[in-house]
Amino acid sequence: MTVEQITKVVYDAIDDKLGQDISILNIGAVSSLCDYFVIATASSQRQVKAIADNVEEELTKHGIEPRGKEGYDSQVWILLDYGDIIVHVFNEENRGFYNLEKMWKDAPYVDIDTLA
């Protein structure tokens, strides 16, 4: 699978669990950290975990496992590191506080419909 196809699987897994305000940033355009950030908001800690679990489950079906996971204890911001893609699932308060889109303002947004 291409990184774009994997990003689409991530997006769909978040959308399936009713993640809100899903943003895809092309971090690769401004940094060598990774290719994409996928950022989403959940309405509760329970939903944060459910979304992250679904992303992990869907990618595992394709033989893709995370390199790292952070935030499962607090469930207010879970980060899943897939190397080329880093997934951030926030509760509403922390999404606003950390505002990754502002921090990475030079990274262009990606429209999900343009991904393979």
Side-chain angles (χ1 to χ4, degrees), residues 9-92:
V9 170
V10 169
Y11 180 95
D12 290 342
I14 293 169
D15 192 47
D16 285 347
K17 292 296 178 183
L18 305 178
Q20 303 164 348
D21 301 325
I22 307 169
S23 296
I24 303 170
L25 299 180
N26 183 351
I27 299 299
V30 297
S31 172
S32 61
L33 178 66
C34 66
D35 289 337
Y36 298 107
F37 272 4
V38 181
I39 306 166
T41 304
S43 59
S44 68
Q45 288 177 302
R46 217 173 180 176
Q47 189 184 22
V48 169
K49 183 180 182 309
I51 290 170
D53 287 348
N54 199 47
V55 168
E56 219 178 325
E57 186 178 306
E58 290 302 315
L59 288 179
T60 296
K61 289 178 185 176
H62 296 281
I64 302 166
E65 299 296 332
R67 294 181 179 182
K69 299 188 271 189
E70 299 289 334
Y72 269 91
D73 292 339
S74 67
Q75 298 179 6
V76 296
W77 174 8
I78 294 179
L79 180 146
L80 300 171
D81 180 356
Y82 286 96
D84 292 331
I85 302 162
I86 298 178
V87 182
H88 302 269
V89 184
F90 288 98
N91 68 1
E92 292 171 356

